[in-house]
Amino acid sequence: MNKATIYNVAYAANVSLATVSRTLNNPQKVKPETRDRVLRVIKDLGYKPNAFAKGLASKKSTTVAVIVPDMSRASVAEMVNGIAVEARKYSYSLLLYVLKDEKVEELEMMKEIVASQVDGMLYLNDEINEGQYAMLNTIQEEYKVPIVLANTLYPYDNKLVTVCIDYYKAAYEVTNRLINEGRKHIYLLTTSRKYMVNDLKEEGYLKAIKEAHMSPNVIRTSGDISVNTIHFNELFKDGETPIDGVIAVRDSIAVSFINTMIEKGKSIPNDISVFGFQNTKYASLSRPKLSCVDIPINDIGAKAMALLKHEIDGEVNEVKFNVLPHSIITRQTSK
Amino acid sequence: MNKATIYNVAYAANVSLATVSRTLNNPQKVKPETRDRVLRVIKDLGYKPNAFAKGLASKKSTTVAVIVPDMSRASVAEMVNGIAVEARKYSYSLLLYVLKDEKVEELEMMKEIVASQVDGMLYLNDEINEGQYAMLNTIQEEYKVPIVLANTLYPYDNKLVTVCIDYYKAAYEVTNRLINEGRKHIYLLTTSRKYMVNDLKEEGYLKAIKEAHMSPNVIRTSGDISVNTIHFNELFKDGETPIDGVIAVRDSIAVSFINTMIEKGKSIPNDISVFGFQNTKYASLSRPKLSCVDIPINDIGAKAMALLKHEIDGEVNEVKFNVLPHSIITRQTSK
DNA sequence: CTGTTAGCGCCTTCAA
DNA sequence: TTGAAGGCGCTAACAG
């Protein structure tokens, strides 16, 4: 039975409930002997403080909300892993909210989350527009609950603490890799749905292309494999379209493209050099193995959680934009 | 500000706080007129009940714990999606616990979870041994908190409600597919680490093999791509080992195997017919596309959540073992 | 160093 | 149909 309350412990240890509370929350304020005695009783009775009572009295929950668009995206899941490990360090619990298939207004949902008394929020979402950003900021100001954005960003403002990598730079670099390989017809495969991070990748790509006096080729397609496969098949139907370099905004899109082209008789990377973005398991499982930009997605999650903890503790993070280092991994789809 | 409490609402609506509480929890016990008035005030003030106070007073949290081994496994993430969508239907929140890299004893952790006052627990783990099963059962009995196992099972007892598919049967069926294709040297690629579900797959495989008077070939390898690739390379080094059929307990292992063999010059499915297990994105992204057993992983999550809700509501689920239907998907790696 | 005493915000009888 | 009152289990001053 979990019936053991602080009163039972107090009684059995022959102290007041205040002392029990202290040995748990401010041990240094309790005489070692009594502390040990109380601790023994706590163990004997298997006492665990009731989280509700504790939260109600202290106005703190040691719980943070993790808001994700869709758990089944590899990058999201991996980030959650990072968050979980870091959260454990501070004994924080995670309240998970999956936006997928959600019809409730996001603002309403955020308010609900606030009412659940979380100490802070982690917002993991590739896309964030002006309205959402403003909404999140309002929530943060109004309810005094710190919010940290992980692997997403809104480049036009910097009120919310953000952790991500420099997508613009990464795309710029990887495009230059292809240019330096001697590729002349470099394509960017991006999503038709708008994502801020993908827009940044596009800008980086365009910059490198422009600097090389080449002409840009941006293809917007679906993240759904079956859909984009059809799309690629149509676009490169004749096999005559000049194309010798590709950067995809996601590994899965890159792999899907590779499969399509190889089936059309192209050789990778001889005919076409391909780079993905993220370094997911898809990259290692493709044949040939995918070269890609490696994003420290686990670390992004951990860092975001660490910064949130910082804010919760009342220490302001002066630096709002936290950029983690990326790297480019050369495997078998590039030279 | 989220300062609006039930008192503010009561005052503004000119009723007692009891009435406010009722219009929220037992609307039918309140006269329509007052109810509407209260509701309007609630909306005006943006009042949301404090979850702690509510939980403390009612001893219910409308929160369930979701315990996962590792978020980055595609099947786990997908199941969580299913759980989340179903949970929303009942307005339940999810408290997420990731066991990965956890050094705390599991029993201690479970007790902590209980102390967090969840109404129930969802345990998603491929592996569960006798000790764990007994532990979970103890927790359930001792603390009266219902537990449901999702996509895992302990076949020697049936005290805990369980949702999964019939792995034994699925493996049996898929092995027979290969036998009917005329394959003579059929291998099972399974994990070296012990998983109950994989043991069942192995049994199903062995049964079919025995019935066909063939000799079994079970290879135990790592789930890690780089490791099992090396392993496969060694095992089939000469390319002479007779092998013309393969069943892998995970899609990723199947894809890794396919890549290795194709690089050795084998033709899939002409030389070797391959089946995976799960139907993850890996299956669609492999070349050729992987044939596999489709497991309704999303549904398993949803069903588990639904059953848990049932138990929380005090209704006993008479059927402890809930088997969801699987199917076999023929793509390009089999005939 | 320890005990006493108010609450925290809400639910739930019990009366009215 | 509504209100009054007593907790739920714990924290945090304030005394002692």
Side-chain angles (χ1 to χ4, degrees):
Chain A
M1 289 303 224
N2 195 26
K3 285 290 118 206
T5 76
I6 198 168
Y7 291 102
N8 303 322
V9 176
Y11 178 82
N14 215 265
V15 293
S16 78
L17 80 171
T19 301
V20 178
S21 177
R22 277 193 210 98
T23 83
L24 248 22
N25 303 308
N26 296 88
Q28 74 286 358
K29 287 189 178 175
V30 179
K31 185 158 53 145
E33 291 109 81
T34 42
R35 190 202 304 157
D36 291 348
R37 183 153 39 94
V38 172
L39 250 23
R40 255 225 342 282
V41 174
I42 286 180
K43 199 162 190 183
D44 287 353
L45 267 52
Y47 166 72
K48 300 268 180 193
N50 178 307
F52 286 154
K54 187 168 183 168
L56 185 58
S58 69
K59 309 202 150 299
K60 280 189 271 142
S61 62
T62 59
T63 297
V64 303
V66 179
I67 302 156
V68 309
D70 174 359
M71 208 60 229
S72 67
R73 288 236 291 271
S75 57
V76 171
E78 194 64 54
M79 225 179 332
V80 170
N81 257 349
I83 291 168
V85 172
E86 186 73 16
R88 184 70 36 73
K89 289 188 194 163
Y90 318 123
S91 303
Y92 268 60
S93 300
L94 304 180
L95 211 42
L96 184 72
Y97 290 88
V98 182
L99 262 28
K100 187 173 185 287
D101 296 338
E102 185 53 46
K103 342 146 234 314
V104 179
E105 237 188 298
E106 224 177 304
L107 176 59
E108 268 318 293
M109 184 157 196
M110 296 304 280
K111 287 189 177 170
E112 240 173 64
I113 298 177
V114 169
S116 76
Q117 305 300 116
V118 295
D119 291 344
M121 300 187 190
L122 251 25
Y123 196 87
L124 327 188
N125 200 327
D126 297 348
E127 169 57 354
I128 195 166
N129 58 37
E130 190 177 348
Q132 277 172 304
Y133 191 86
M135 186 269 283
L136 290 175
N137 196 41
T138 304
I139 294 281
Q140 177 170 261
E141 304 272 280
E142 206 108 317
Y143 300 101
K144 308 272 179 259
V145 47
I147 300 178
V148 172
L149 304 182
N151 201 36
T152 180
L153 76 178
Y154 184 70
Y156 311 117
D157 204 338
N158 68 339
K159 288 185 192 124
L160 296 174
V161 174
T162 303
V163 183
C164 56
I165 72 148
D166 191 337
Y167 287 100
Y168 174 80
K169 187 169 162 223
Y172 176 73
E173 289 171 356
V174 82
T175 307
N176 274 329
R177 280 280 188 113
L178 291 175
I179 293 171
N180 292 337
E181 264 186 31
R183 304 296 174 169
K184 300 298 179 198
H185 305 280
I186 303 172
Y187 278 63
L188 176 74
L189 309 183
T190 186
T191 50
S192 43
R193 196 187 139 196
K194 190 179 154 43
Y195 289 104
M196 190 58 78
V197 294
N198 288 349
D199 284 355
L200 292 173
K201 292 172 193 169
E202 185 168 338
E203 284 179 32
Y205 159 83
L206 291 175
K207 185 186 183 212
I209 291 291
K210 177 175 274 181
E211 285 179 0
H213 305 295
M214 294 166 57
S215 51
N217 296 286
V218 177
I219 292 180
R220 297 176 200 287
T221 185
S222 164
D224 185 288
I225 304 165
S226 54
V227 177
N228 64 30
T229 297
I230 293 172
H231 196 180
F232 295 144
N233 262 312
E234 269 176 20
L235 283 169
F236 303 103
K237 186 161 29 184
D238 47 17
E240 299 301 317
T241 316
I243 173 171
D244 58 9
V246 160
I247 294 151
V249 296
R250 288 188 199 164
D251 286 344
S252 60
I253 294 177
V255 174
S256 175
F257 173 82
I258 289 171
N259 287 340
T260 305
M261 298 315 269
I262 288 184
E263 276 167 8
K264 285 186 177 306
K266 294 288 186 187
S267 161
I268 308 286
N270 291 335
D271 297 339
I272 310 174
S273 189
V274 181
F275 275 97
F277 243 99
Q278 191 87 352
N279 195 18
T280 52
K281 241 174 147 182
Y282 303 129
S284 325
L285 280 175
S286 81
R287 191 182 76 255
K289 290 187 177 50
L290 186 66
S291 295
C292 61
V293 175
D294 176 65
I295 296 177
I297 196 73
N298 209 298
D299 297 348
I300 290 178
K303 176 84 175 180
M305 180 64 223
L307 291 174
L308 182 60
K309 162 72 172 158
H310 211 240
E311 293 262 321
I312 290 173
D313 291 344
E315 300 155 46
V316 181
N317 291 296
E318 290 303 338
V319 182
K320 299 299 180 189
F321 267 82
N322 299 82
V323 177
L324 263 43
H326 61 266
S327 65
I328 297 178
I329 296 184
T330 303
R331 290 208 183 84
Q332 304 171 334
T333 61
S334 66
K335 297 205 162 167
Chain B
M1 289 305 224
N2 194 29
K3 286 290 119 206
T5 76
I6 197 169
Y7 291 102
N8 303 321
V9 176
Y11 178 81
N14 216 266
V15 293
S16 79
L17 79 172
T19 301
V20 178
S21 177
R22 278 194 210 96
T23 83
L24 249 22
N25 303 309
N26 295 89
Q28 75 286 358
K29 288 190 177 174
V30 179
K31 186 159 51 146
E33 291 109 81
T34 43
R35 191 202 302 158
D36 291 348
R37 184 153 38 95
V38 172
L39 250 24
R40 256 227 340 284
V41 174
I42 286 180
K43 199 163 190 183
D44 287 353
L45 267 52
Y47 166 72
K48 301 266 179 193
N50 176 308
F52 286 154
K54 187 168 182 169
L56 186 58
S58 69
K59 308 201 151 300
K60 281 189 267 137
S61 62
T62 58
T63 296
V64 303
V66 179
I67 302 157
V68 309
D70 175 0
M71 208 62 229
S72 67
R73 289 235 291 270
S75 57
V76 172
E78 194 64 52
M79 224 178 334
V80 170
N81 257 350
I83 291 167
V85 171
E86 186 73 15
R88 183 69 35 74
K89 289 187 194 163
Y90 319 123
S91 303
Y92 268 62
S93 300
L94 304 180
L95 209 42
L96 183 71
Y97 291 87
V98 181
L99 263 27
K100 187 174 185 286
D101 296 339
E102 186 52 46
K103 327 140 246 319
V104 180
E105 238 189 298
E106 225 177 303
L107 176 60
E108 268 318 293
M109 184 156 196
M110 296 304 280
K111 287 190 177 168
E112 241 173 64
I113 298 176
V114 169
S116 76
Q117 306 300 116
V118 296
D119 292 344
M121 300 188 188
L122 251 24
Y123 196 86
L124 326 188
N125 199 327
D126 297 348
E127 170 56 355
I128 195 166
N129 58 37
E130 189 177 348
Q132 277 173 303
Y133 190 86
M135 186 269 284
L136 290 174
N137 196 41
T138 304
I139 294 283
Q140 176 170 262
E141 304 273 279
E142 206 108 317
Y143 300 101
K144 309 271 179 258
V145 48
I147 300 179
V148 172
L149 304 182
N151 199 35
T152 180
L153 77 178
Y154 184 70
Y156 311 118
D157 204 340
N158 69 339
K159 288 186 192 123
L160 297 174
V161 174
T162 302
V163 183
C164 56
I165 71 147
D166 191 337
Y167 287 102
Y168 175 80
K169 188 168 161 223
Y172 176 72
E173 288 171 358
V174 82
T175 306
N176 274 328
R177 280 280 188 114
L178 290 176
I179 292 171
N180 292 337
E181 264 186 33
R183 305 297 173 168
K184 299 298 178 197
H185 305 280
I186 303 172
Y187 278 64
L188 176 74
L189 308 183
T190 184
T191 50
S192 43
R193 196 187 139 197
K194 190 179 154 42
Y195 289 103
M196 189 60 77
V197 293
N198 288 348
D199 285 354
L200 292 174
K201 292 173 193 167
E202 187 168 335
E203 284 178 33
Y205 160 83
L206 291 176
K207 185 185 183 211
I209 290 291
K210 177 175 276 182
E211 285 179 0
H213 304 294
M214 295 167 55
S215 50
N217 296 287
V218 177
I219 292 180
R220 297 176 200 288
T221 186
S222 164
D224 185 291
I225 304 165
S226 54
V227 176
N228 64 31
T229 297
I230 293 172
H231 197 181
F232 294 145
N233 262 311
E234 269 175 21
L235 284 169
F236 303 103
K237 187 160 31 185
D238 47 16
E240 300 301 317
T241 317
I243 172 170
D244 58 8
V246 162
I247 293 151
V249 297
R250 288 187 198 164
D251 286 344
S252 60
I253 294 178
V255 175
S256 174
F257 173 82
I258 289 170
N259 287 341
T260 305
M261 298 315 269
I262 288 185
E263 277 167 8
K264 285 186 179 305
K266 295 287 185 187
S267 161
I268 310 285
N270 290 334
D271 297 339
I272 311 174
S273 190
V274 181
F275 275 97
F277 243 99
Q278 190 87 352
N279 196 16
T280 53
K281 243 174 145 181
Y282 304 128
S284 326
L285 280 174
S286 81
R287 192 181 74 256
K289 290 188 177 45
L290 186 66
S291 295
C292 61
V293 175
D294 177 64
I295 296 176
I297 197 73
N298 210 298
D299 297 348
I300 290 179
K303 176 84 176 180
M305 180 65 222
L307 291 174
L308 183 60
K309 163 71 173 157
H310 211 240
E311 293 263 321
I312 290 172
D313 290 344
E315 300 154 48
V316 180
N317 291 297
E318 291 301 339
V319 182
K320 299 300 181 188
F321 268 81
N322 299 81
V323 177
L324 263 44
H326 60 268
S327 65
I328 298 178
I329 296 185
T330 303
R331 289 208 182 84
Q332 304 170 334
T333 63
S334 66
K335 297 204 163 172

